[in-house]
Amino acid sequence: GAAQALGRNWYAPLLAERTLVLLGRPIDLAAQLTVRMGAMLRSSVDIAISRFESKELLAVVELQAALRACRLTHVLLREGLPDLDEFEEVLAEANEAVGFLSFSSRILDKATRDAIDDLLPNCAYRQDAVLFDRPPPTAFTPPPERDKAPRSTPPHLLFGTSPLNAEYAMLAAAAGTGFG
């Protein structure tokens, strides 16, 4: 029943197939799946970074959760698709940190820019709570300009499903009261 199906990997037989004959032509199914899953993983990491770039620095909690989900997905896919690129390579490519002497990346640039333009001038450090706290908005503290958020992201490229995306959004919102 349902208890036996819990934890079962339904994709293992599909990932175990190496070659498929379709209409008399052999198709390297493993290679096709590796290319497709690699592209989807790259897209998912890129969307996670783009969402981080479009929000304030507190969105680093959401970025961390999204990258953790991508890394776990990669580990699980790697069991059936051993030719899948390393996750660190995928992350470096999406983060634009692939140069030989690359000391910059999208995540680092965004974090530095927000710390200088938003966190330090607009937040107060609370020693008792050991965090930066944002005071109520006033006319004297306009929000900094940010990149636009990615348009209608498919749920499978974030955390898997719409309910999971909503849960992670609530967790990120709960953690987004202060930075520290």
Side-chain angles (χ1 to χ4, degrees):
Q4 292 174 339
L6 188 63
R8 183 172 173 188
N9 185 352
W10 294 102
Y11 298 103
L14 178 64
L15 295 176
E17 287 294 323
R18 304 315 287 174
T19 306
L20 178 70
V21 178
L22 185 65
L23 299 175
R25 301 187 79 183
I27 297 172
D28 187 358
L29 188 61
Q32 294 293 325
L33 285 173
T34 300
V35 169
R36 177 75 179 201
M37 292 297 108
M40 290 185 75
L41 192 63
R42 278 181 173 74
S43 179
S44 185
V45 171
D46 184 55
I47 286 172
I49 295 171
S50 296
R51 285 174 57 96
F52 173 64
E53 289 174 327
S54 69
K55 297 180 179 180
E56 63 183 32
L57 192 57
L58 295 172
V60 72
V61 174
E62 180 184 338
L63 174 68
Q64 183 182 22
L67 291 179
R68 191 178 315 125
C70 289
R71 187 179 302 273
L72 178 60
T73 302
H74 180 269
V75 167
L76 294 173
L77 282 173
R78 193 77 192 253
E79 292 173 4
L81 301 171
D83 294 335
L84 200 61
D85 292 339
E86 293 291 331
F87 182 76
E88 297 305 322
E89 292 175 18
V90 172
L91 178 61
E93 184 180 319
N95 197 19
E96 297 175 4
V98 290
F100 178 67
L101 293 174
S102 180
F103 298 113
S104 180
S105 67
R106 289 170 61 189
I107 296 173
L108 181 63
D109 288 346
K110 159 71 173 157
T112 305
R113 189 173 358 110
D114 265 16
I116 293 170
D117 296 342
D118 187 27
L119 182 71
L120 296 176
N122 298 326
C123 296
Y125 182 72
R126 291 183 39 207
Q127 181 65 34
D128 61 334
V130 190
L131 59 82
F132 285 92
D133 202 7
R134 185 179 301 280
T138 65
F140 300 109
T141 57
E145 292 183 20
R146 303 191 193 288
D147 295 342
K148 290 186 177 183
R151 295 238 180 217
S152 65
T153 305
H156 66 276
L157 290 178
L158 293 175
F159 295 104
T161 63
S162 294
L164 281 174
N165 292 341
E167 288 292 326
Y168 275 103
M170 287 191 316
L171 286 173
T177 58
F179 189 82

